[in-house]
Amino acid sequence: MLHTPHACQFCGRYVLEVEGWAESLKPGHKVLVPWDDDPSVFHGFYHWSCVRASEFGPKFRTELLNWVCQKDQLITVRGEDGLLHDTVRTGLGYTRHLATVGGGDIYESPRFDRWVFAETAGPVHFLDIDQARVLSEGKPLRGNNGGRHAFLPEDPGDVVAGWGLAEVLDFLQVRDVYQDMIDRFAPEYSFWRGSPKGSSYILVYSLSAMRPVPSDIAEFFQNYLQRYTLKIPEPVRTNGDQ
């Protein structure tokens, strides 16, 4: 397990987070480390492309689904004291397996209008009803661009405020990891603010790109939503709501 700030747990290189491309897992989710027989919790950052390319991608997928597709369960984890402890993992409860499509499996929440698409290669996509509708209409789905914090290993100086995404990635020496996103998925990057912290730097930014959801997922929702009944009815709009 790598503990360098923002290091990908699969390749060791820097992770600049962007939904659907490079993300992180919090230790509170209690997903187990996929490459270690000793039960420890996976937490930290990862590039989705690294998950897909890794020999541990299938095991990582299994662990993610153990968390995502089950209810609360008892697991055994080695604690900081070096001893094994039983602990409850709060599952997300996507227990309904709807379909197996070309790129993976689709699961549904029995309580909410939400779905998960688990790629066969490892990564997991979360989708709400609005996002499923966008896909069903054949439109590309853009990821969330909300403000994010990144701990840069070195202080780039005031010039960072004027950089575009490519310059940030070049500074972090990971442009190659994001090249497919840059070339084909229309990323949008904005510098918000930043401040030095010792020899390092705290960057606050927004970054989104079109999410790489396979076309067969869109085809699935085109058919499925035609007969789907909302679990949580949408509020009735009045003229004053428009």
Side-chain angles (χ1 to χ4, degrees), residues 4 10 34 39-40 52 69 106 131 139 143 147 175 217 226 229:
T4 304
F10 289 84
S40 57
R52 296 186 184 105
C69 296
I106 301 173
Q131 293 164 335
K139 300 176 181 177
R175 182 171 177 174
I217 305 304
Q226 293 180 17
T229 301

Side-chain angles (χ1 to χ4, degrees), residues 17 89 139 170 179:
E17 286 194 272
R89 172 166 59 195
K139 300 176 181 177
D170 282 341
Q179 194 62 54

Side-chain angles (χ1 to χ4, degrees), residues 94-101 106-116 127-129 131-133 135-137 215-231:
Y94 288 78
T95 55
R96 294 180 180 171
H97 181 264
L98 295 182
T100 298
V101 295
I106 301 173
Y107 299 86
E108 181 177 283
S109 167
R111 298 177 56 201
F112 304 105
D113 301 303
R114 298 184 64 88
W115 296 265
V116 161
L127 301 167
D128 61 24
I129 183 63
Q131 293 164 335
R133 285 169 174 162
L135 292 173
S136 73
E137 294 168 359
S215 60
D216 48 7
I217 305 304
E219 294 172 4
F220 169 83
F221 281 112
Q222 286 172 2
N223 296 319
Y224 186 69
L225 292 185
Q226 293 180 17
R227 61 183 188 277
Y228 180 73
T229 301
L230 290 174
K231 300 179 181 71

Side-chain angles (χ1 to χ4, degrees), residues 53-65:
S54 173
E55 63 178 304
F56 300 108
K59 288 186 176 181
F60 188 60
R61 179 188 196 266
T62 297
E63 271 305 309
L64 286 176
L65 293 184

Side-chain angles (χ1 to χ4, degrees), residues 26-76:
K26 303 295 188 292
H29 298 323
K30 299 178 182 176
V31 173
L32 298 181
V33 173
W35 50 76
D36 196 343
D37 293 333
D38 192 44
S40 57
V41 172
F42 179 102
H43 61 90
F45 299 84
Y46 56 96
H47 303 114
W48 281 35
S49 59
C50 293
V51 176
R52 296 186 184 105
S54 173
E55 63 178 304
F56 300 108
K59 288 186 176 181
F60 188 60
R61 179 188 196 266
T62 297
E63 271 305 309
L64 286 176
L65 293 184
N66 285 340
W67 164 51
V68 169
C69 296
Q70 295 191 36
K71 299 179 181 179
D72 295 359
Q73 58 192 292
L74 194 67
I75 62 172
T76 301

